[in-house]
Amino acid sequence: MKPVVLIAGYDRAPHAIAIAENLRRAAMAPSLIVIAYPVSMTRIRSILRSRGLGAILGYLRGGNAAAKPEKSPLQEYLAASGLDEDRSLRAWAARWDVRCISVTDINSDSATRAIAELDPGVTVYTGGGILRRSLIEAARRRILNAHSGPLPAIRGMNACEWSLLLGEPLSVTMHLIDEGIDTGPQLERIPVRAQSGDTVDMLRERCVVAGIEGMTRHVPALLSGHEPQAVERNSAVHRQCFVLAPALRELLTAKLPDLIRQQQSLSKRR
């Protein structure tokens, strides 16, 4: 069986740690972990626009210190699955004797070379920036991503929020990464159920949980040679979404109870 690589955007990413541990329990532990720390004003501005000041403080500390909802679907899942003990990818890698490297640019020569030399069967992407063709080719074009929105309808940033605003069913799409923005071959669309009283942060976390479970299911399928469905490129339905403007975020918060009821109605039709 070919090895598995895991790419992460920071050391204390709970979803990345959970995926690594789930794969280890299934006897498919990553052979290499690549952590990207692109500390730049461009990256900081991007995080500030999409996640707020709390995420910036967490990013500069190498973790995610954004304000957590009082009820956290992600933390509940991690606790129920026994995945809440590890707090660091590097520490997890050291404990299980997994090679772990840090880079300032995920597309750097060192990251690309390390992945190419390993010749992985699957590379699991959990964050770290937009991937260039050289890295995609080094990973044999088998980079698995969990996108927090329905593809091809909602591509790009803040997919969970845009799904709510545009009346698209909340879901996570498992797909392979290509040179486009969320345009690669698709494997599965996983429904995400909104619950009354959910906040936007809670809905985002429900998508994260669905993505963790989707990664755990699809890595073995890809290792066994499963080929995902190719996507027809149709610009009319391949809408690319960008970071939600502050005014739209305010609108989303104000209308959230109605939008959740709409999502619950959509779920009944599935």
Side-chain angles (χ1 to χ4, degrees):
M1 184 170 66
K2 281 187 172 291
V4 175
V5 171
L6 187 145
I7 295 173
Y10 54 95
D11 178 50
R12 297 182 180 273
H15 64 301
I17 299 168
I19 292 167
E21 176 59 14
N22 275 345
L23 293 175
R24 185 197 68 81
R25 293 177 183 181
M28 294 175 290
S31 299
L32 171 67
I33 293 175
V34 183
I35 304 174
Y37 281 110
V39 180
S40 66
M41 287 308 299
T42 300
R43 180 72 184 268
I44 290 173
R45 280 195 296 267
S46 174
I47 297 173
L48 180 61
R49 290 173 60 206
S50 63
R51 299 301 301 276
L53 181 59
I56 290 292
L57 297 175
Y59 177 71
L60 293 174
R61 285 196 289 263
N64 187 359
K68 293 290 183 184
E70 184 176 341
K71 179 182 178 183
S72 167
L74 176 58
Q75 292 304 319
E76 289 178 358
Y77 166 80
L78 296 177
S81 305
L83 297 169
D84 57 343
E85 296 181 2
D86 293 295
R87 294 288 185 269
S88 160
L89 269 174
R90 279 199 291 262
W92 181 92
R95 175 146 63 99
W96 298 109
D97 195 25
V98 173
R99 184 187 178 198
C100 182
I101 63 173
S102 296
V103 295
T104 55
D105 180 357
I106 193 57
N107 297 292
S108 64
D109 289 342
S110 58
T112 302
R113 185 167 52 251
I115 293 172
E117 289 173 353
L118 194 61
D119 190 28
V122 181
T123 297
V124 174
Y125 178 83
T126 67
I130 295 175
L131 305 182
R132 295 179 186 161
R133 176 174 296 177
S134 57
L135 190 133
I136 295 171
E137 295 290 351
R140 302 175 61 244
R141 307 189 74 85
R142 308 269 299 175
I143 304 177
L144 181 62
N145 183 47
H147 175 73
S148 293
L151 293 178
I154 306 289
R155 298 188 300 118
M157 300 291 293
N158 294 145
C160 174
E161 292 91 330
W162 281 112
S163 296
L164 289 162
L165 283 171
L166 295 173
E168 294 285 346
L170 283 178
S171 54
V172 169
T173 306
M174 305 302 303
H175 71 102
L176 297 186
I177 291 177
D178 64 7
E179 291 83 354
I181 302 297
D182 301 316
T183 56
Q186 298 173 20
L187 292 97
E188 181 186 14
R189 183 184 291 184
I190 306 168
V192 175
R193 297 192 179 280
Q195 298 184 17
S196 299
D198 277 354
T199 64
V200 174
D201 281 340
M202 291 169 68
L203 292 168
R204 288 176 64 104
E205 289 197 3
R206 294 195 192 283
C207 291
V208 170
V209 169
I212 294 171
E213 294 179 336
M215 289 287 194
T216 306
R217 285 197 308 276
H218 284 286
V219 166
L222 288 170
L223 287 174
S224 67
H226 173 71
E227 293 298 330
Q229 175 185 352
V231 179
E232 182 181 353
R233 302 300 175 85
N234 183 343
S235 60
V237 295
H238 278 68
R239 175 197 293 116
Q240 182 173 350
C241 296
F242 297 89
V243 174
L244 213 62
L248 284 175
R249 193 170 293 278
E250 289 180 20
L251 178 65
L252 173 61
T253 301
K255 291 184 170 293
L256 190 58
D258 291 336
L259 295 174
I260 287 176
R261 283 190 287 272
Q262 181 186 45
Q263 287 294 324
Q264 291 171 335
S265 177
L266 289 173
S267 294
K268 293 177 182 178
R269 301 176 197 167
R270 293 177 186 172

